[in-house]
Amino acid sequence: MTIDPELLLNFPIPDISQRVTPRDVAFYALSVGMAQDPTDPRQLDFVDQHRQLHALPWMALVLGHPGFWLTDPRIGVDAVRLVHGEQALEQHLPLPVEGEIVGRTRVTGLVDKGAGRGALLYMEKQVLDAASGALYATARSTTFLRGDGGFGGPTGPVRRPPPVPGGPPDFVVELPTRPEQALFYRLNGDDNPLHADPAVAAAAGFERPILHGLCTLGVVAHALLRTLGDYDATRFRELQLRFTAPVLPGETIRTEIWRDGSFRARVAERNVMIVNHGLARFAGAGASP
């Protein structure tokens, strides 16, 4: 297959309307590992519908999800080999715990890295209130199309990530994942079989199904919320990161954080870097371990 760049850049991704319920909010938080410490009431605020429930800001990444539309054979993408490369999220308003939202996704760029080197696909999704049109969040992502370079498309511009800080981190937070976590997380709407089917994972070059990149982001963002936001989700403003290696469900994610909001993360058991070039911003000063 060969990419049809004109079709890909102008692909008509439909708007997705979605009803958000308190159950959805609680399930998402549980699916990214929140409240594994049931004695911490700050974490219970994101999962217990009998408390004053709060939505995690990065739930915006799964709301109004347009589905795995890159499998459309007209586009020509090798959908088995694609991976999530980068993700950014900006929160404009706190997400509702209950209400109707619309997810509006569009392709914003395509970069041909050359034959054998793959391609970069840039996308943006806005999450809006269905009634008023108010903008809750803007998500920007880079998908690495590993099997699709050399189609004669544009060679730039390529987004530059934030710099990696020097010196040791100011805080280190370790959070576990669960062996079945990808199976829970995919119920949020991302049903790519790479995260569930061992045969598909093997065909993509992995020893077994891997954790969704956005689930990894959820675990890392939890560490940031604990350290930089004191579990106050209203203080979150934005984050960006680059995925560098996959997590196997059941591994421990160690997030290294600097006071200026820079961060990176690695799998503790294998000492493999999984997230790099991270930068987060929370309103207010100070951080806590």
Side-chain angles (χ1 to χ4, degrees), residues 261-284:
S262 299
F263 65 91
R264 64 190 179 200
R266 64 184 75 236
V267 168
E269 292 84 352
R270 295 183 283 128
N271 197 30
V272 171
M273 191 76 68
I274 55 169
V275 164
N276 208 351
H277 297 284
L279 185 63
R281 187 165 65 89
F282 287 78

Side-chain angles (χ1 to χ4, degrees), residues 88-110:
L89 175 68
E90 183 177 1
Q91 177 173 263
H92 308 288
L93 295 170
L95 290 174
V97 171
E98 188 166 14
E100 189 86 17
I101 64 91
V102 173
R104 184 165 296 156
T105 303
R106 65 188 182 97
V107 174
T108 57
L110 180 63

Side-chain angles (χ1 to χ4, degrees), residues 4 12 51 71-72 173 177 197 201 230:
D4 182 336
R51 303 170 71 91
T71 57
D72 190 314
V173 179
T177 66
D197 189 328
D230 194 27

Side-chain angles (χ1 to χ4, degrees), residues 191-205:
D191 55 1
N192 185 341
L194 176 65
H195 308 291
D197 189 328
V200 173

Side-chain angles (χ1 to χ4, degrees), residues 31-274:
S31 76
V32 295
M34 187 65 71
Q36 289 197 38
D37 179 0
T39 66
D40 187 344
R42 301 175 301 173
Q43 295 185 44
L44 291 177
D45 287 341
F46 299 96
V47 302
D48 187 348
Q49 298 179 59
H50 300 289
R51 303 170 71 91
Q52 185 177 353
L53 192 64
H54 301 281
L56 289 172
W58 29 98
M59 185 182 179
L61 298 173
V62 302
L63 294 178
H65 182 59
F68 201 30
W69 59 272
L70 283 168
T71 57
D72 190 314
R74 296 174 296 166
I75 301 173
V77 166
D78 182 353
V80 172
R81 297 186 61 198
L82 65 82
V83 294
H84 202 149
E86 297 170 323
Q87 184 66 57
L89 175 68
E90 183 177 1
Q91 177 173 263
H92 308 288
L93 295 170
L95 290 174
V97 171
E98 188 166 14
E100 189 86 17
I101 64 91
V102 173
R104 184 165 296 156
T105 303
R106 65 188 182 97
V107 174
T108 57
L110 180 63
V111 174
D112 186 352
K113 294 173 65 69
R117 300 182 60 200
L120 301 175
L121 176 66
Y122 297 124
M123 290 183 287
E124 178 183 279
K125 182 182 73 174
Q126 293 182 322
V127 178
L128 308 110
D129 183 85
S132 68
L135 180 60
Y136 290 116
T138 301
R140 298 179 178 87
S141 64
T142 304
T143 302
F144 182 27
L145 309 177
R146 295 189 297 160
D148 296 299
F151 56 89
T155 58
V158 176
R159 294 176 184 168
R160 300 300 178 189
V164 178
D170 297 300
F171 307 97
V172 176
V173 179
E174 290 195 353
L175 295 171
T177 66
R178 297 177 59 87
E180 74 281 15
Q181 192 158 344
L183 299 176
F184 282 112
Y185 184 84
R186 72 197 306 262
L187 297 178
N188 290 302
D190 187 346
D191 55 1
N192 185 341
L194 176 65
H195 308 291
D197 189 328
V200 173
F206 299 108
E207 63 180 80
R208 57 188 173 98
I210 62 176
L211 201 61
H212 301 69
L214 290 184
C215 187
T216 296
L217 181 150
V219 178
V220 171
H222 177 184
L224 295 167
L225 180 63
R226 172 189 293 183
T227 306
L228 302 178
D230 194 27
Y231 282 106
D232 182 354
T234 65
R235 290 175 54 188
F236 174 77
R237 293 296 178 265
E238 60 183 322
L239 67 75
Q240 55 183 309
L241 56 77
R242 173 175 289 181
F243 299 106
T244 54
V247 175
L248 300 177
E251 293 182 318
T252 303
I253 296 177
R254 177 187 296 142
T255 303
E256 302 170 352
I257 305 168
W258 284 260
R259 292 186 186 277
D260 68 354
S262 299
F263 65 91
R264 64 190 179 200
R266 64 184 75 236
V267 168
E269 292 84 352
R270 295 183 283 128
N271 197 30
V272 171
M273 191 76 68
I274 55 169

